Amino acid sequence: AQKITQTQPGMFVQEKEAVTLDCTYDTSDQSYGLFWYKQPSSGEMIFLIYQGSYDEQNATEGRYSLNFQKARKSANLVISASQLGDSAMYFCAMREYTGGFKTIFGAGTRLFVKA
Amino acid sequence: DSGVTQTPKHLITATGQRVTLRCSPRSGDLSVYWYQQSLDQGLQFLIQYYNGEERAKGNILERFSAQQFPDLHSELNLSSLELGDSALYFCASSVEANYGYTFGSGTRLTVV
């Protein structure tokens, strides 16, 4: 069965510094997708970045990059130049195809950006 | 506005009752996904529909059912409600597998 593990319940980072949020996953499939989502205190879920299991290069989207280490089954999110607005809950997720697309989410990491 | 519309935003109902949550996906998206978010269980995948057909099922209780209509909107029906069903219910849609989901703003269900 799929499993997503986010071991950091909470993280603090100083404004303008970079921060890495950890994510490890477990799957026996060769083809899968990895995602990161942000959930601010307002509650909406915002898609940040995607990495396919066959993608050789790490995904980047603006200040977000995904450090994909396939052999270690890790997909860490790196946020560069943190901003106060980055304070939120961050979820790592993995999608498998099982006749339909099933995406499971990790427990999340709460990020606090300090001024 | 994400383009995914969920109604109602808030719902308070009594145990044993039945409610229907509605979702309109983003224009052009054929897939609809339902998730339940609670403090103790996190985000749980319930069910996926693609163009009217059920495609994937997660931890959906037998008291819960869903469908997707020809106009692609979807409804999640929750019956014989229990206190533990209190949660935020999200609908999401997507156009392709390689894209992230677009989530609606959720329906906050409180069972009293």
Side-chain angles (χ1 to χ4, degrees):
Chain A
Q2 293 182 317
K3 187 175 177 182
I4 296 280
T5 303
Q6 293 180 254
T7 57
Q8 308 152 312
M11 288 278 287
F12 286 87
V13 64
Q14 196 67 41
E15 193 179 11
K16 299 181 185 177
E17 292 185 351
V19 63
T20 298
L21 307 183
D22 295 340
C23 173
T24 58
Y25 60 92
D26 186 24
T27 181
S28 56
D29 281 7
Q30 297 302 308
S31 178
Y32 51 89
L34 297 160
F35 303 79
W36 278 91
Y37 290 83
K38 172 184 179 181
Q39 187 176 37
S41 57
S42 52
E44 73 268 31
M45 292 286 288
I46 302 165
F47 164 65
L48 296 178
I49 196 166
Y50 163 81
Q51 179 86 40
S53 59
Y54 292 116
D55 294 341
E56 294 185 353
Q57 292 202 330
N58 288 339
T60 59
E61 289 287 348
R63 294 185 300 108
Y64 304 108
S65 61
L66 199 153
N67 184 359
F68 181 45
Q69 297 188 42
K70 195 169 182 177
R72 293 186 176 188
K73 292 189 175 177
S74 75
N76 299 338
L77 177 70
V78 180
I79 305 175
S80 62
S82 296
Q83 302 172 356
L84 295 178
D86 293 334
S87 293
M89 195 76 167
Y90 288 82
F91 293 97
C92 179
M94 178 171 66
R95 177 184 295 174
E96 285 184 331
Y97 182 75
T98 58
F101 290 105
K102 179 178 176 180
T103 299
I104 62 165
F105 287 76
T109 295
R110 172 83 59 187
L111 178 66
F112 300 91
V113 180
K114 300 182 291 183
Chain B
D1 182 7
S2 68
V4 177
T5 304
Q6 285 189 253
T7 57
K9 291 193 184 305
H10 300 277
L11 199 50
I12 302 175
T13 189
T15 54
Q17 294 298 304
R18 172 190 169 97
V19 297
T20 297
L21 312 184
R22 183 186 168 100
C23 168
S24 293
R26 196 178 55 167
S27 178
D29 289 355
L30 299 179
S31 283
V32 168
Y33 310 81
W34 285 97
Y35 282 83
Q36 178 194 58
Q37 186 178 32
S38 60
L39 286 176
D40 56 343
Q41 295 287 325
L43 264 164
Q44 296 289 315
F45 169 70
L46 296 178
I47 199 162
Q48 179 215 354
Y49 280 85
Y50 178 84
N51 203 20
E53 293 185 3
E54 180 186 306
R55 285 291 182 91
K57 218 166 184 178
N59 302 321
I60 188 166
L61 300 171
E62 286 190 8
R63 300 184 286 109
F64 297 180
S65 65
Q67 54 184 327
Q68 187 180 29
F69 295 87
D71 66 352
L72 300 179
H73 92 271
S74 177
E75 293 181 355
L76 179 67
N77 300 296
L78 314 176
S79 61
S80 302
L81 284 167
E82 302 174 359
L83 296 178
D85 298 327
S86 296
L88 185 57
Y89 290 84
F90 281 110
C91 168
S93 71
S94 70
V95 58
E96 290 182 17
N98 290 353
Y99 288 82
Y101 295 163
T102 301
F103 279 80
S105 57
T107 294
R108 170 75 64 187
L109 173 66
T110 303
V111 182
V112 298

